[in-house]
Amino acid sequence: MPLRLILMRHAKSDWSNPSHTDHDRELNRRGRNAAGKMANWLAAMDYKPNRMLCSSAMRTQQTANLMNHAWARPVDVDIEENLYLASSGQILETIAAWASDTNAATTPTLLVLGHNPGISEAASRLSGEFCQMPTAAVIVLDCDVKSWADPLKRELIDFVDEMVPKRLSTDDS
């Protein structure tokens, strides 16, 4: 059975407080709603991850926490400093480093929660298709590998953009 990799960009962030650094920006109301909706969609599609690797930024951590809140059984979240504003290469290196440091064999489905432009570049690189990842976008790839430390040979399974949370509910305030 292949390993499943889900790449996701954090939900919509709040730019209203100029005193917040980029790293400390929180989600806005739309982002908080979208995180839960995307979690429900992942579960409904049977894509729920076993573990998440999450950037250290506030908006990614809030996205992960809200997704976990939406699931009956939360998943473990590893906060990875290297994912904050990471390039596509850094994202892949972080996955490989995580795999060598943990018991990754018990993680058949891994969600990596990050930022643009790196998350879009990683999605495009891995899928072989151009994937612009707006906020809360998700790409699902099945990887024909035995270990997360192996080079990721992959097949695109699903790609959804920020319109999914809007289509899942008319309440987009």
Side-chain angles (χ1 to χ4, degrees), residues 71-90:
W71 292 322
R73 289 194 172 132
V75 302
D76 288 334
V77 178
D78 296 328
I79 305 302
E80 297 285 344
E81 295 285 335
N82 292 340
L83 289 176
Y84 177 61
L85 302 180
S87 68
S88 63
Q90 289 169 313

Side-chain angles (χ1 to χ4, degrees), residues 12-121:
K12 187 82 172 154
S13 59
D14 186 352
W15 289 79
S16 67
N17 188 338
S19 69
H20 282 168
T21 65
D22 179 70
H23 191 270
D24 296 331
R25 266 190 296 122
E26 297 182 351
L27 296 179
N28 67 15
R29 185 174 177 183
R30 184 174 124 197
R32 290 188 302 272
N33 289 336
K37 290 175 186 175
M38 291 307 291
N40 291 333
W41 181 84
L42 286 167
M45 297 299 292
D46 200 24
Y47 296 153
K48 183 182 168 205
N50 304 98
R51 187 173 210 100
M52 285 191 258
L53 301 185
C54 179
S55 158
S56 60
M58 177 64 72
R59 60 193 176 273
T60 52
Q61 290 185 58
Q62 285 181 319
T63 301
N65 289 338
L66 289 165
M67 292 175 72
N68 256 336
H69 184 72
W71 292 322
R73 289 194 172 132
V75 302
D76 288 334
V77 178
D78 296 328
I79 305 302
E80 297 285 344
E81 295 285 335
N82 292 340
L83 289 176
Y84 177 61
L85 302 180
S87 68
S88 63
Q90 289 169 313
I91 290 169
L92 298 178
E93 289 169 11
T94 300
I95 293 169
W98 165 81
S100 67
D101 290 342
T102 64
N103 187 5
T106 61
T107 306
T109 302
L110 176 67
L111 187 148
V112 177
L113 191 50
H115 308 268
N116 262 349
I119 204 76
S120 287
E121 292 167 358

